[in-house]
Amino acid sequence: MKKFAVIGDSTCDLRQDTREQLGIDYFMMNVVFNDLEKKADLDWKEYSAKELYDNMRNKQRVKTTQVPMEEFVRVFEKHLSEGEDVVYISCSSALSGSINVASAAVEELKEKYKDAKIVLFDSKISCLGQGMMLIEAATMRNNGATIEEVEKRLVEMRDNINQFCVPESLLYLKNAGRVKASTAFFGNLIGIKPILVSSLEGENVAIEKVKGRKSSLNRIVELASNAIANPKDSVVYVAHSDCEEDANYVVNLIKEKIQPKDVYVNILGPIIGASVGPGTVAIYVEGAKKTI
């Protein structure tokens, strides 16, 4: 059976230990802050997460880029030249154009690597929802699954990964063009915290408005509890943007209310963090089919 690489991008927000253990690669995007363009490195080698989020708290705009063409060519070639096929699980195409650039890179490379199979899979989500797909794909591959079997499983997963997210403010998402202005209006109401889900098309949609921070955190745990399938055999994924105390509160509540097999926690990486801003907590579970 031919080997294949499993690759994400800077929006997948998987920890270094996870990527190394499972053999997951990723394409790097870029961020711009303090007038400098820097790599959107999930391991925070050039700058710390606190530095990024403190810049945002101090009203400094952080801009992001999609994966550059040369990055796609470099990483694709690294694997293709070793005789591997490739599965790229991208950020939602509704939030990033990276999968389109990947397609152009594949066109550039396919003459040189005529026998290679390259699967470009639109996750229709981001952050740890995308990360969940990468973990599943790499685990299946490591257990002997074919690239076709992995692709079939990804299609099954895509509509059943649920996101329940509470940003501290919708200002960052609005400025980044990640939510509509009508949705961002909710963020201007004093004390109101919107609950964001990822739609079937991969867009961020506000489904509820909850009064108060603690109530909103309680609510996303309740929604996750209602959505998850087979909690005793499942992992719940929690991401936060430099608000560890709130994340710990959510994790403890998940352990009490949902009682999953495990809870996976990570800080939001530079790209998603720049879009949602500091103070965001998000939960990802597989279970009920999305309806939005």
Side-chain angles (χ1 to χ4, degrees), residues 102-221:
S103 181
V106 170
E107 284 297 311
E108 184 176 304
L109 292 167
K110 70 179 183 181
E111 186 65 28
K112 185 176 179 181
Y113 300 98
K114 294 179 181 178
D115 297 330
K117 178 165 185 177
I118 302 175
V119 175
L120 304 181
F121 189 82
D122 184 352
S123 71
K124 297 294 181 76
I125 200 165
S126 64
C127 191
L128 290 181
Q130 178 188 358
M132 290 169 68
M133 292 187 181
L134 287 159
I135 288 173
E136 181 75 359
T139 301
M140 288 181 66
R141 175 202 59 193
N142 297 346
N143 288 335
T146 65
I147 196 170
E148 291 79 14
E149 289 169 334
V150 166
E151 188 174 11
K152 181 180 178 182
R153 170 67 176 130
L154 292 174
V155 171
E156 292 172 351
M157 289 183 75
R158 181 161 52 190
D159 291 348
N160 299 304
I161 294 181
N162 293 264
Q163 166 190 287
F164 304 105
C165 173
V166 179
E168 181 64 30
S169 168
L170 281 176
L171 174 64
Y172 304 101
L173 281 159
K174 177 178 178 291
N175 289 341
R178 302 297 188 263
V179 293
K180 296 177 181 178
S182 57
T183 296
F185 168 76
F186 294 134
N188 295 326
L189 303 178
I190 296 174
I192 296 297
K193 302 299 177 186
I195 308 296
L196 299 179
V197 300
S198 181
S199 72
L200 287 165
E201 291 76 28
E203 297 176 316
N204 291 310
V205 179
I207 58 165
E208 292 183 15
K209 306 181 293 293
V210 180
K211 182 74 172 177
R213 177 68 167 177
K214 190 63 66 70
S215 295
S216 67
L217 297 177
N218 292 340
R219 181 57 177 155
I220 61 172
V221 174

Side-chain angles (χ1 to χ4, degrees), residues 224-244:
S225 178
N226 293 337
I228 193 171
N230 305 314
K232 299 292 185 185
D233 299 318
S234 299
V235 177
V236 176
Y237 292 78
V238 177
H240 69 94
S241 51
D242 200 28
C243 52
E244 190 172 357

Side-chain angles (χ1 to χ4, degrees), residues 15-32:
R15 300 191 309 246
Q16 183 177 14
D17 63 329
T18 303
R19 301 193 316 272
E20 290 179 351
Q21 180 183 356
L22 293 176
I24 297 170
D25 203 350
Y26 75 103
F27 300 104
M28 277 200 203
M29 300 171 175
N30 296 306
V31 293
V32 181

Side-chain angles (χ1 to χ4, degrees), residues 72-106:
F72 274 122
V73 171
R74 181 186 70 81
V75 178
F76 275 140
E77 283 224 87
K78 179 176 74 171
H79 295 284
L80 295 172
S81 65
E82 295 174 356
E84 294 181 311
D85 289 334
V86 171
V87 175
Y88 167 43
I89 303 174
S90 79
C91 178
S92 169
S93 59
L95 303 176
S96 169
S98 287
I99 196 168
N100 299 322
V101 184
S103 181
V106 170

